[in-house]
Amino acid sequence: MTERTDLPLPDYDHLPVGSLLTRIRTLDAEQLQQVLGYEQAHANRVQVVQAMNHRLGSLQSGAQPSGGDPAAAQPEHAASASGGSQVSEATSGPPVNPPSHGDPTNPAQPRSTG
């Protein structure tokens, strides 16, 4: 049985389905079969298994893996910004002073007649 650490897609168990479905296009038939076996033995998600079987059929019919590195940086795990927040008094907007409740000049607040 294939172990998670032996899969051609690093951090497989933590990839969102959308990212996973894109990344399987970079695999050859042997790699895809390995990932498919792992998926079926573990999570067995219908959408993922169907997509992998469809892609495997395409590869067996002559399709080629797409360009790209399945181990490339993952945008879904973006690096945090260095230096912290860029918000300061210089970059904040003007203060907001909402009208008080019951202000007769505010059409949303009817005048009291009593």
Side-chain angles (χ1 to χ4, degrees):
M1 180 185 299
T2 303
E3 294 298 320
R4 181 178 54 92
T5 56
D6 298 332
L7 294 173
L9 296 174
D11 210 17
Y12 176 84
D13 290 330
H14 300 287
L15 289 174
V17 171
S19 180
L20 177 61
L21 298 179
T22 300
R23 287 175 181 270
I24 64 171
R25 298 187 60 78
T26 65
L27 304 177
D28 61 30
E30 182 180 328
Q31 292 171 317
L32 184 56
Q33 189 65 50
Q34 183 182 16
V35 174
L36 177 59
Y38 179 84
E39 176 67 31
Q40 290 173 324
H42 293 86
N44 203 23
R45 297 167 286 187
V46 173
Q47 177 186 12
V48 174
V49 170
Q50 286 178 342
M52 287 182 180
N53 280 323
H54 179 72
R55 181 62 182 161
L56 191 56
S58 296
L59 290 170
Q60 291 168 343
S61 296
Q64 296 296 314
S66 66
D69 179 6
Q74 302 170 15
E76 57 274 0
H77 299 291
S80 60
S82 61
S85 174
Q86 300 300 314
V87 176
S88 69
E89 285 187 35
T91 61
S92 65
V96 176
N97 295 318
S100 62
H101 293 289
D103 182 2
T105 61
N106 184 349
Q109 298 290 327
R111 289 180 191 247
S112 63
T113 58

